[in-house]
Amino acid sequence: MATERPHETTLRFLAEPTDMNFGGKVHGGAVMKWIDQAGYACAVGWSGHYCVTLYVGGIRFHKPILIGNMVEVRARIIYTGRTSMHVAVDVSAGDPRDGHFQETTHCIIIFVAMDDEGKSVEVTPWAPQTEEETALEQYAVRLMELRRTIEDEMQPHRGM
Ligand SMILES: CC(C)(COP(=O)(O)OP(=O)(O)OC[C@H]1O[C@@H](n2cnc3c(N)ncnc32)[C@H](O)[C@@H]1OP(=O)(O)O)[C@@H](O)C(=O)NCCC(=O)NCCS
């Protein structure tokens, strides 16, 4: 019997002094790296292939993360195409002494699965089971439509 592949990955760790920015809090670049790592682990887990990041969108840092905070980075498959996987990533953080977590960042990353020759390869289709998963899939479809408009707007400015 085939084993169901995991569609969700959560990383949990402490924000370290080496993650600090010039203001003494966690560097935005460190958060972006964690988002990419959690998304990558999720996409690889779902597809069973090496994956590349195609797109990262909508990153907004709602709240700062402090050094010493416990950080949780949750990545979930919300939509699949033929070779691409759209992964929603939610970052939350809090003081480990009280265990109270607050959402700090949410974004969508798209990964493409690759074969051993470096060509894009088909992935197992994601089939939402719950109301929340269905709503997230519809959200991914709406974002794709919006993204086309944004990419058309940005196109003339590439490489200027
Ligand atoms: C990712 C990459 C292989 C895609 O190349 P490509 O020529 O567009 O590949 P394909 O035409 O086969 O498309 C692959 C998938 O990407 C999707 N895609 C392509 N452009 C897209 C866009 N702008 N937005 C969303 N999805 C897109 C396609 O729809 C396809 O998905 P599907 O099979 O589920 O429909 C290529 O752009 C690449 O190598 N980029 C660099 C990746 C990288 O190095 N990432 C690390 C960060 S720098």
Side-chain angles (χ1 to χ4, degrees):
M1 199 175 84
T3 313
E4 175 82 1
R5 288 202 160 271
H7 73 277
E8 183 168 333
T9 301
T10 300
L11 306 181
R12 270 186 152 220
F13 48 86
L14 293 169
E16 297 187 26
T18 48
D19 300 318
M20 190 160 63
N21 66 16
F22 300 108
K25 294 173 184 162
V26 167
H27 204 291
V31 180
M32 289 194 267
K33 182 178 167 187
W34 299 335
I35 288 170
D36 196 41
Q37 286 175 334
Y40 173 80
C42 180
V44 170
W46 179 256
S47 64
H49 288 279
Y50 169 68
C51 296
V52 293
T53 312
L54 173 90
Y55 172 88
V56 183
I59 291 190
R60 157 90 157 86
F61 300 109
H62 298 288
K63 289 196 171 62
I65 300 177
L66 308 183
I67 304 304
N69 272 183
M70 180 67 82
V71 182
E72 185 176 287
V73 189
R74 181 185 186 199
R76 288 179 278 177
I77 299 284
I78 61 167
Y79 174 91
T80 51
R82 197 179 73 83
T83 65
S84 65
M85 291 154 283
H86 296 213
V87 180
V89 182
D90 293 285
V91 184
S92 56
D95 188 328
R97 288 172 295 190
D98 60 26
H100 177 64
F101 278 66
Q102 284 193 302
E103 191 235 344
T104 67
T105 312
H106 163 81
C107 72
I108 301 296
I109 313 192
I110 304 175
F111 291 90
V112 175
M114 309 297 269
D115 66 14
D116 293 342
E117 276 75 52
K119 289 202 193 102
S120 52
V121 62
E122 276 186 43
V123 298
T124 306
W126 164 242
Q129 304 289 331
T130 66
E131 268 182 41
E132 187 191 11
E133 289 169 357
T134 304
L136 282 168
E137 189 184 56
Q138 290 164 354
Y139 164 57
V141 171
R142 287 197 301 277
L143 285 181
M144 256 189 288
E145 285 155 13
L146 288 170
R147 203 173 298 121
R148 269 183 217 114
T149 311
I150 293 170
E151 287 191 1
D152 287 349
E153 186 65 35
M154 292 175 81
Q155 177 62 29
H157 300 282
R158 283 178 61 185
M160 275 180 84

Coordinates of all heavy atoms in Angstrom, one line a residue, residues 52-54 81-84 110 112 114 120 151, ligand 1:
V52 N 13.0 23.5 -6.9 CA 13.6 24.8 -6.9 C 12.5 25.8 -6.6 O 11.3 25.6 -6.9 CB 14.3 25.2 -8.2 CG1 15.5 24.3 -8.5 CG2 13.3 25.1 -9.4
T53 N 12.9 26.9 -6.0 CA 12.0 28.0 -5.7 C 11.8 28.8 -7.0 O 12.7 29.3 -7.6 CB 12.6 29.0 -4.6 OG1 13.1 28.2 -3.5 CG2 11.6 30.0 -4.1
L54 N 10.5 28.9 -7.3 CA 10.2 29.7 -8.5 C 9.7 31.1 -8.2 O 10.0 32.1 -8.9 CB 9.0 29.0 -9.3 CG 8.4 29.7 -10.5 CD1 9.1 29.3 -11.7 CD2 6.9 29.5 -10.6
G81 N 0.0 22.3 -9.4 CA -0.2 22.3 -10.9 C 0.3 21.0 -11.4 O 0.3 19.9 -10.7
R82 N 0.9 21.0 -12.6 CA 1.5 19.7 -13.1 C 2.8 19.5 -12.5 O 3.0 18.4 -12.0 CB 1.6 19.8 -14.7 CG 1.8 18.5 -15.4 CD 2.0 18.7 -16.9 NE 3.3 19.3 -17.2 CZ 4.4 18.6 -17.4 NH1 4.4 17.3 -17.2 NH2 5.5 19.2 -17.7
T83 N 3.6 20.5 -12.4 CA 5.0 20.3 -11.9 C 5.2 21.3 -10.7 O 6.3 21.2 -10.0 CB 6.1 20.6 -12.9 OG1 6.0 22.0 -13.3 CG2 5.9 19.7 -14.1
S84 N 4.3 22.2 -10.4 CA 4.5 23.2 -9.4 C 3.7 22.9 -8.2 O 2.6 22.3 -8.2 CB 4.2 24.6 -10.0 OG 2.8 24.7 -10.3
I110 N 6.2 29.3 -4.4 CA 5.9 28.3 -5.4 C 7.3 27.6 -5.7 O 8.3 28.2 -6.0 CB 5.4 28.9 -6.7 CG1 4.1 29.7 -6.4 CG2 5.1 27.8 -7.7 CD1 3.5 30.5 -7.6
V112 N 9.1 24.2 -8.0 CA 8.9 23.3 -9.1 C 9.8 22.1 -8.8 O 10.9 22.2 -8.4 CB 9.3 24.0 -10.4 CG1 9.3 23.0 -11.6 CG2 8.5 25.2 -10.7
M114 N 12.0 18.9 -9.7 CA 13.0 18.6 -10.8 C 13.4 17.1 -10.8 O 13.5 16.6 -9.7 CB 14.2 19.5 -10.6 CG 13.9 20.9 -10.3 SD 13.2 21.7 -11.7 CE 14.6 22.3 -12.7
S120 N 11.8 19.9 -15.2 CA 10.6 19.9 -14.3 C 9.9 18.6 -14.5 O 9.8 18.0 -15.6 CB 9.7 21.1 -14.6 OG 9.4 21.2 -16.0
E151 N 2.7 40.7 -12.5 CA 3.9 40.4 -13.3 C 3.8 41.2 -14.6 O 4.9 41.7 -15.1 CB 3.9 38.9 -13.6 CG 4.4 38.1 -12.4 CD 4.7 36.7 -12.6 OE1 4.7 36.2 -13.8 OE2 5.1 36.0 -11.6
Ligands
LIG1 C1 11.8 27.2 -11.9 C2 12.1 27.1 -13.4 C3 12.8 25.7 -13.6 C4 10.9 27.1 -14.2 O1 11.3 27.2 -15.5 P1 10.2 27.3 -16.7 O2 10.9 27.3 -18.0 O3 9.2 28.4 -16.4 O4 9.6 25.9 -16.5 P2 8.2 25.4 -17.0 O5 7.7 26.2 -18.2 O6 8.4 23.9 -17.2 O7 7.2 25.7 -15.8 C5 7.4 25.0 -14.6 C6 6.2 25.4 -13.7 O8 6.4 26.7 -13.3 C7 5.1 27.4 -13.5 N1 5.4 28.8 -13.7 C8 6.2 29.3 -14.6 N2 6.2 30.7 -14.5 C9 5.4 31.0 -13.5 C10 5.0 32.2 -12.8 N3 5.5 33.3 -13.2 N4 4.2 32.1 -11.8 C11 3.7 30.9 -11.3 N5 4.1 29.7 -11.9 C12 4.9 29.7 -12.9 C13 4.5 26.7 -14.7 O9 3.1 27.0 -14.7 C14 4.9 25.3 -14.4 O10 4.0 24.8 -13.4 P3 2.9 23.7 -13.8 O11 3.6 22.5 -14.4 O12 2.4 23.3 -12.4 O13 1.9 24.3 -14.6 C15 13.1 28.2 -13.8 O14 12.5 29.4 -13.9 C16 14.3 28.3 -12.9 O15 15.2 27.4 -13.0 N6 14.4 29.3 -12.1 C17 15.4 29.5 -11.1 C18 15.1 28.7 -9.9 C19 16.1 29.0 -8.8 O16 17.3 29.0 -9.0 N7 15.6 29.2 -7.6 C20 16.4 29.6 -6.5 C21 16.3 31.0 -6.1 S1 17.3 32.1 -7.0

